[in-house]
Amino acid sequence: MASADKTINTDVPEKDVFAIHFLQSLSNLRIQNLFNSPDTTNYRVRKIKKAAYVSMARAAGGTSRLWSRALLRRAAKGNNKIVRFPRRKRKVTWKISSKRRRSDQRAPVVEDAAERLRNLVPGGGGMETSKLMEETAHYIKCLSMQVKVMQCLVDGLSPK
Amino acid sequence: MDLTGGFGARSGGVGGGPYREPIGLESLHLGDEFRQLATTTSLTPDNAGGSFTALLELPPTQAVELLHFTDSLSSSQAAAAATTGIGGGDIIIAPPPPPLHSFGGTTLTFPSNSALMERAARFSVIATEQQQNNGNYHNNETPTSSVPSNSSDRVKTEPPETDSAMENQSLCPNQTNRSGKRKDFDKKVKSSTKKNKSSEETEKLPYVHVRARRGQATDSHSLAERARREKINARMKLLQELVPGCDKIQGTALVLDEIINHVQSLQRQVEMLSMRLAAVNPRVDFNLDTILASENASLMDGSFSGTAMQLAWPHQALETEQSFHQRQLQPPPPPPQQWPFDGLNQPVWGREEDQAHGNDHSNLMAVSENVMVGSANLHPNQVKMEL
């Protein structure tokens, strides 16, 4: 069991990498002149949130993680950008049906939770449960890092 | 029938199943063949003549091997093995391959099976009477009439023969079963120490070598299930360490709930913070070029660690305030290929990198706060510049 832990790699870059990416995305937003005359705050909020997620995905390792890959793809679809990803060795999509049918038999407690996780973690739909958990661990680390960065920003920027 | 009485409990489902059964089951496995033979065919040999004499030349192990082959492999393989196993080209089994194949489970033809039974009977007799193997013509008459009574002998002689035939049998399925996962059954587990051996799992290799614990099913499916469950448990432990407060919770369901709650709370936090940022944002200009100009002036840290040297622009890691101002006037250096950003922000990132790549948490906090403070201070200056 201990040897298995060593092979699972959930390293996440330092906070500054996240900070750089986030600040860059924010300045990109700024350059787009969105904030001069916003119609609704919602639009701005959504843009910032999306920028946060995209920058997090980029900072966390680009396309080498399944969740970040799915996140970036989702974001690019929204922008109608054509995104090219490096070709993966295996296509994951066809495995969903075959594994889902059998997974209901396997420890239904775990599989219910896995289903909920799949809805939460981006790109979870094509993953098997064990892979899903690995991705979740990395995702949690990255999310907490991003939250810290944003917290610092907000604290620095808020009026004293 | 002795056979049916002895093996009545055993279903006939073993015939096409996996071949990696423990030794104890092997004898029963063969017993099925004989039961099938006994129940579906007549016991009187119809096929007399040359085939018997030909068959008698075969040594017992090869005959048993033939029996196994009829059950496990296709007819072509069996025929090939039979012809090669015999060695001499002149001795050819008179019944052609189709009868061997038909034994495999489809409708059985009478002559062939009786021939097989003859073979089996003969070679079990031969096995027990190994010292009398001179020509074997004496044994011609005895097995033909005493086939039913030989069944009990056959059963007894099976176990010694199975060991020799096991190797042959286990090799053949090996060649056919080579796919993604391969499990090595450790047959010694049952006879070894009474402690449970932990199952090992290597996640790097394409093969998963799993050892069956003592007293557990050695079915390939259950092994796969167990390997998978242990994989999942290992990852769950990892997640437990990650999520605060999950160590004390007992039970996988609650732990998983906690993990899901944690992920949801993190996502909600991101949304909340982005709302706050949006509220704050219009006041502040995120133009980092000017921000860092002032910030570098205020931040005279000597905190450029060695890691900053490893970055794309190591030669700038140690620049001082003066050189920074000088560089500001000069055209920015070409960006490295690590940063796939558009041309607008690339020079900016160069400078920001130098400051932002301190290792400490406090360092980053200081940097970010100074950046923001600097930006807030710069606002009137920037307004002047833009005007």
Side-chain angles (χ1 to χ4, degrees):
Chain A
M1 283 300 181
S3 61
D5 276 338
K6 286 175 198 163
T7 58
I8 303 175
N9 183 23
T10 49
D11 291 343
V12 151
E14 290 289 319
K15 202 198 290 185
D16 35 16
V17 178
F18 284 89
I20 288 177
H21 281 81
F22 188 47
L23 289 172
Q24 186 245 350
S25 67
L26 282 180
S27 66
N28 269 340
L29 281 181
R30 179 75 184 129
I31 283 160
Q32 291 174 26
N33 283 334
L34 288 172
F35 303 116
N36 291 339
S37 56
D39 305 348
T40 50
T41 31
N42 275 340
Y43 182 66
R44 241 189 300 148
V45 168
R46 266 185 286 131
K47 277 284 187 179
I48 288 182
K49 189 167 76 160
K50 187 173 176 184
Y53 276 110
V54 168
S55 72
M56 175 174 75
R58 278 225 203 101
T63 52
S64 53
R65 277 277 162 183
L66 279 171
W67 66 264
S68 65
R69 202 192 302 244
L71 230 182
L72 289 172
R73 178 157 264 166
R74 204 194 289 171
K77 233 194 285 178
N79 296 342
N80 290 329
K81 269 191 214 167
I82 300 171
V83 185
R84 291 186 201 283
F85 290 108
R87 209 102 174 75
R88 278 184 291 163
K89 284 174 191 169
R90 276 180 291 141
K91 281 222 172 206
V92 204
T93 46
W94 65 271
K95 280 186 184 174
I96 303 174
S97 53
S98 63
K99 281 191 174 136
R100 287 280 179 84
R101 276 183 222 131
R102 284 187 76 197
S103 71
D104 291 335
Q105 309 163 13
R106 301 170 171 175
V109 177
V110 175
E111 295 308 320
D112 290 341
E115 198 59 40
R116 279 187 281 166
L117 263 184
R118 280 195 186 98
N119 293 333
L120 285 176
V121 176
M127 289 189 248
E128 232 229 337
T129 306
S130 55
K131 187 71 181 165
L132 178 72
M133 298 198 140
E134 209 176 313
E135 295 288 316
T136 309
H138 194 260
Y139 186 59
I140 287 177
K141 276 194 194 169
C142 291
L143 263 183
S144 44
M145 203 65 88
Q146 184 73 20
V147 161
K148 279 185 211 161
V149 164
M150 287 174 79
Q151 191 71 46
C152 287
L153 261 183
V154 168
D155 290 341
L157 284 175
S158 62
K160 281 147 195 165
Chain B
M1 282 281 304
D2 292 337
L3 275 176
T4 52
F7 301 102
R10 191 116 171 87
S11 66
V14 194
Y19 289 95
R20 302 174 190 266
E21 296 162 0
I23 298 173
L25 291 174
E26 267 309 313
S27 55
L28 299 176
H29 181 55
L30 285 168
D32 274 330
E33 299 175 26
F34 298 134
R35 191 154 48 95
Q36 279 181 10
L37 278 174
T39 52
T40 56
T41 68
S42 65
L43 296 176
T44 57
D46 295 330
N47 211 4
S51 62
F52 292 156
T53 55
L55 291 172
L56 288 175
E57 303 288 336
L58 285 178
T61 55
Q62 282 180 348
V64 177
E65 193 179 316
L66 281 174
L67 278 175
H68 285 295
F69 277 145
T70 60
D71 192 1
S72 63
L73 299 178
S74 63
S75 61
S76 57
Q77 277 181 334
T83 50
T84 53
I86 290 170
D90 51 349
I91 302 173
I92 298 171
I93 296 181
L100 292 177
H101 171 65
S102 67
F103 174 71
T106 58
T107 58
L108 305 167
T109 62
F110 285 176
S112 59
N113 286 308
S114 60
L116 281 173
M117 276 196 63
E118 289 306 308
R119 247 181 279 158
R122 208 151 288 128
F123 295 124
S124 62
V125 168
I126 289 172
T128 53
E129 305 171 350
Q130 279 176 1
Q131 290 157 6
Q132 298 178 11
N133 263 344
N134 44 358
N136 297 327
Y137 290 103
H138 308 290
N139 298 330
N140 237 345
E141 296 110 21
T142 46
T144 55
S145 56
S146 62
V147 165
S149 63
N150 257 343
S151 61
S152 51
D153 292 343
R154 224 180 289 141
V155 173
K156 289 171 199 164
T157 55
E158 276 323 309
E161 289 173 352
T162 53
D163 286 340
S164 59
M166 267 294 284
E167 306 303 323
N168 300 329
Q169 199 195 32
S170 62
L171 283 176
C172 315
N174 252 340
Q175 293 154 13
T176 54
N177 283 351
R178 214 164 274 168
S179 58
K181 272 192 182 181
R182 178 197 286 167
K183 286 141 201 130
D184 296 327
F185 282 71
D186 193 8
K187 288 168 193 148
K188 294 175 191 171
V189 174
K190 291 199 171 177
S191 57
S192 67
T193 64
K194 293 178 184 172
K195 293 183 212 165
N196 280 339
K197 285 188 184 169
S198 60
S199 62
E200 298 164 5
E201 199 181 327
T202 58
E203 309 219 7
K204 299 176 195 170
L205 309 174
Y207 299 119
V208 177
H209 294 280
V210 184
R211 192 165 285 181
R213 289 189 207 168
R214 179 183 167 82
Q216 288 184 340
T218 50
D219 193 21
S220 67
H221 290 298
S222 55
L223 263 193
E225 280 286 335
R226 206 176 309 130
R228 186 179 169 274
R229 249 181 278 143
E230 279 162 4
K231 236 186 177 182
I232 289 180
N233 284 339
R235 293 189 163 112
M236 189 111 66
K237 263 194 211 166
L238 198 67
L239 277 173
Q240 251 185 317
E241 291 161 21
L242 216 54
V243 176
C246 255
D247 304 344
K248 293 141 194 170
I249 301 180
Q250 299 296 326
T252 40
L254 296 173
V255 166
L256 286 168
D257 286 342
E258 192 59 41
I259 290 170
I260 289 172
N261 284 338
H262 192 246
V263 170
Q264 278 174 340
S265 77
L266 280 176
Q267 284 179 337
R268 260 183 270 131
Q269 271 180 341
V270 168
E271 184 157 357
M272 200 64 66
L273 286 171
S274 66
M275 272 170 54
R276 287 178 66 183
L277 264 185
V280 160
N281 219 3
R283 293 194 316 115
V284 178
D285 185 11
F286 273 101
N287 197 348
L288 291 153
D289 200 2
T290 48
I291 285 173
L292 292 170
S294 70
E295 193 251 328
N296 207 18
S298 56
L299 239 196
M300 279 301 291
D301 281 343
S303 62
F304 299 136
S305 60
T307 57
M309 299 289 288
Q310 296 166 12
L311 293 171
W313 296 327
H315 59 281
Q316 300 167 359
L318 299 174
E319 68 178 13
T320 60
E321 178 185 352
Q322 295 168 349
S323 58
F324 180 82
H325 284 305
Q326 279 178 4
R327 201 161 58 85
Q328 241 183 334
L329 300 173
Q330 292 166 7
Q337 289 174 357
Q338 284 181 359
W339 306 102
F341 303 151
D342 48 356
L344 262 173
N345 291 316
Q346 274 155 353
V348 174
W349 297 122
R351 284 173 220 137
E352 191 195 357
E353 236 180 279
D354 301 336
Q355 286 103 33
H357 276 284
N359 276 336
D360 303 325
H361 168 84
S362 58
N363 211 9
L364 179 70
M365 288 271 290
V367 164
S368 57
E369 282 176 2
N370 277 328
V371 163
M372 294 316 125
V373 166
S375 70
N377 290 338
L378 269 182
H379 204 64
N381 297 339
Q382 278 173 348
V383 169
K384 286 179 202 166
M385 278 163 50
E386 284 162 13
L387 286 176

